[in-house]
Amino acid sequence: MTEPRALPIAARAEDRPFDPAAELYELQREEGLPRVTVPSPILGDFEAVMITRYEDARSVLRDDRLRMGFVFDPEAPRTMLNQPGNLLNYNGDEHSRLRRMLTGAFSVKRVRALRPMIEEIVSARLDALSEAGPGADLVRVFSTPIPTMVICELLGVPYADRADFQHRAQVGLDVNTTREVQIRNLAEMDEYMAGLVADHRKQPGDNVLGGVVRDFGHELTDDELVGIGNMLLIAGHETTASMLSASTALLLQHPDQLAVVRDEPSKIDDAVEELLRYCAPATIMPRQAAAPMSVRGQRIEEGERVVVSILAANRDPDATEHDLDALDVSRQPRPHVTFGHGVHQCLGQQLARMELRVALPALFDRFPTLKPAVPWEEIDYRTTALVFGVRELPVTW
Amino acid sequence: MNVEVDQSRCVAAGHCLASVPEVFDQRDDDGVVVLLDETPPEQQHERVREAAVRCPSAAIAVRARDSSS
């Protein structure tokens, strides 16, 4: 047997941050299920079955035998990922029980009711961008604060606390800080979230976290509630911020498609689906086989790690005769696995869609001459991070 | 066309309601699917089939009925 090929964890093409690495397309064409070595700063190098085809991705992600890669370990140090209450750390019945406590808050109708709140937040950020003036960093002034503010509403963070809350959320995402800073920041976030939970225990607020405390507080420990709050922050924040920044960078390079997003409200839902398919901010989803299973008749052994390349699956030419490497916001939406598939499919996906549908047209409408303030090649995309995005996007108009 | 839903499998992703609000709804308390029309008219068939395919937890079953599938 040949040595497995090494593949960077996010595997995007060099100099073409929106495209999968060429190796992924090669793997996609192979009939056999490839094993690759994935270099990971967190887990160390590990070997994994690499899933790159669309139908394979759907098939493994909906298979109960495939478990989440991380499982809560009470013995290990507590981190943003390693804590109770985080849906990403649960499987099977335990996962269903916890998820059902949260799904009501993220239904299509409940999210529609949040639209005015989202519009207000977006409008305030557009004012902030205008005040900051040409040269402002879109990531800092617009893309990141919008999902953070929305999460503040869902958690019931009082206005007076929001600047600090946003600062901690931003530090939590900053890969350029030291380990000490991260540990201290995390402790502060946990402490703050515990305070919020205690307040909701006394008097449940009229928001998502308050609702969970009111309806299920008797079944959940404070620790779990803190974990749920942190999960809503992590999951709802970085990916949506990335989508806002990446979509903006992408659309600025396709002015005709930007015009569709800006001027044709009836097409915005389809346009957002295409942007989600194309950007795939959660580039990969790591899993582990809890029991032997098979894909297209090929065996995956118990204990084997499985990495699904969401980016490659969304571009699988076998899924259609359309050119999926082209961005086309006007096309009939192509199916994608950007939010995953199966029982773990993103809890907040309708909320994410709503934020994008409100924020992107509003941005281009308010700043019709928006363009990057630096040459295209200087824009720093986070191609190697677990969540794809743009580190900074200075804009002018 | 005959439509069935399995509420115990549903993970409340909301695709079905977003695609065919005439046929599917979500329960207020937990977002779980509610079937509004077991035998939707033909003009909705394509969207219902699409909703069944997109459903992440395969909670929607579509069966052909009589001559109209």
Side-chain angles (χ1 to χ4, degrees), chain A residues 207-224:
Chain A
N207 46 55
V208 173
L209 191 58
V212 172
V213 171
R214 189 179 56 243
D215 298 338
F216 304 103
H218 56 287
E219 296 179 47
L220 294 166
T221 64
D222 285 352
D223 237 16
E224 286 171 320

Side-chain angles (χ1 to χ4, degrees), chain A residues 27 31 123 138 191 231 378:
Chain A
L27 296 177
E31 278 310 308
S123 168
L138 192 85
E191 195 189 323
M231 170 192 67
E378 279 178 29

Side-chain angles (χ1 to χ4, degrees), chain A residues 236-252:
Chain A
H237 171 208
E238 190 176 6
T239 42
T240 310
S242 295
M243 268 306 295
L244 285 169
S245 302
S247 301
T248 303
L250 193 58
L251 288 168
L252 288 174

Side-chain angles (χ1 to χ4, degrees), chain A residues 58 62 95 99-101 103-110 112 273 332 335-336 339-347 349-350 353, chain B residues 6-18 21 25-32 46 50 52-58:
Chain A
R58 278 171 55 97
R62 69 174 168 240
H95 170 260
R99 184 174 167 116
R100 280 272 170 112
M101 297 178 188
T103 39
F106 294 95
S107 71
V108 171
K109 280 181 283 184
R110 292 279 279 279
R112 266 184 209 146
E273 272 339 278
Q332 181 77 20
H336 61 75
F339 292 116
H341 195 65
V343 297
H344 283 281
Q345 195 182 55
C346 180
L347 172 72
Q349 57 181 295
Q350 303 301 348
R353 288 186 169 101
Chain B
D6 182 344
Q7 293 184 322
S8 68
R9 294 185 68 95
C10 177
V11 296
H15 298 297
C16 54
L17 168 56
D25 199 356
Q26 285 183 288
R27 255 185 344 220
D28 278 340
D29 56 342
D30 58 8
V32 164
E46 197 187 326
E50 198 182 284
V53 170
R54 285 185 75 190
C55 177
S57 56

Side-chain angles (χ1 to χ4, degrees), chain A residues 73-92:
Chain A
D73 176 1
E75 304 297 316
R78 201 175 158 110
T79 67
M80 280 305 254
L81 277 175
N82 193 47
Q83 55 185 312
N86 185 340
L87 286 175
L88 295 175
N89 297 332
Y90 292 82
N91 291 291

Side-chain angles (χ1 to χ4, degrees), chain A residues 46-240:
Chain A
F46 64 90
E47 197 179 311
V49 178
M50 193 77 196
I51 301 289
T52 53
R53 295 189 184 186
Y54 177 73
E55 283 304 333
D56 291 354
R58 278 171 55 97
S59 143
V60 299
L61 288 173
R62 69 174 168 240
D63 195 311
D64 292 343
R65 289 165 293 191
L66 204 63
R67 295 302 171 99
M68 300 304 282
F70 315 99
V71 173
F72 172 57
D73 176 1
E75 304 297 316
R78 201 175 158 110
T79 67
M80 280 305 254
L81 277 175
N82 193 47
Q83 55 185 312
N86 185 340
L87 286 175
L88 295 175
N89 297 332
Y90 292 82
N91 291 291
D93 291 344
E94 262 188 314
H95 170 260
S96 309
R97 173 183 158 266
L98 201 57
R99 184 174 167 116
R100 280 272 170 112
M101 297 178 188
L102 300 165
T103 39
F106 294 95
S107 71
V108 171
K109 280 181 283 184
R110 292 279 279 279
V111 168
R112 266 184 209 146
L114 298 176
R115 185 172 181 123
M117 175 270 282
I118 295 170
E119 285 172 342
E120 210 172 294
I121 287 170
V122 167
S123 168
R125 294 329 297 173
L126 290 170
D127 292 344
L129 189 57
S130 178
E131 273 164 40
D137 175 15
L138 192 85
V139 175
R140 231 188 143 70
V141 183
F142 185 78
S143 315
T144 308
I146 289 172
T148 313
M149 289 308 199
V150 171
I151 298 294
C152 281
E153 291 282 343
L154 303 188
L155 297 177
V157 176
Y159 282 97
D161 297 350
R162 289 194 183 179
D164 286 346
F165 186 88
Q166 199 179 321
H167 174 74
R168 287 189 298 267
Q170 211 134 26
V171 171
L173 293 183
D174 189 349
V175 289
N176 296 317
T177 51
T178 62
R179 196 179 139 76
E180 287 68 35
V181 169
Q182 283 300 330
I183 290 172
R184 196 169 57 232
N185 188 60
L186 184 59
E188 285 172 11
M189 288 174 86
D190 270 348
E191 195 189 323
Y192 183 78
M193 203 64 79
L196 270 188
V197 165
D199 291 345
H200 284 304
R201 286 265 194 215
K202 275 182 230 132
Q203 191 178 1
D206 185 16
N207 46 55
V208 173
L209 191 58
V212 172
V213 171
R214 189 179 56 243
D215 298 338
F216 304 103
H218 56 287
E219 296 179 47
L220 294 166
T221 64
D222 285 352
D223 237 16
E224 286 171 320
L225 285 165
V226 168
I228 287 171
N230 281 334
M231 170 192 67
L232 294 177
L233 171 65
I234 308 163
H237 171 208
E238 190 176 6
T239 42
T240 310

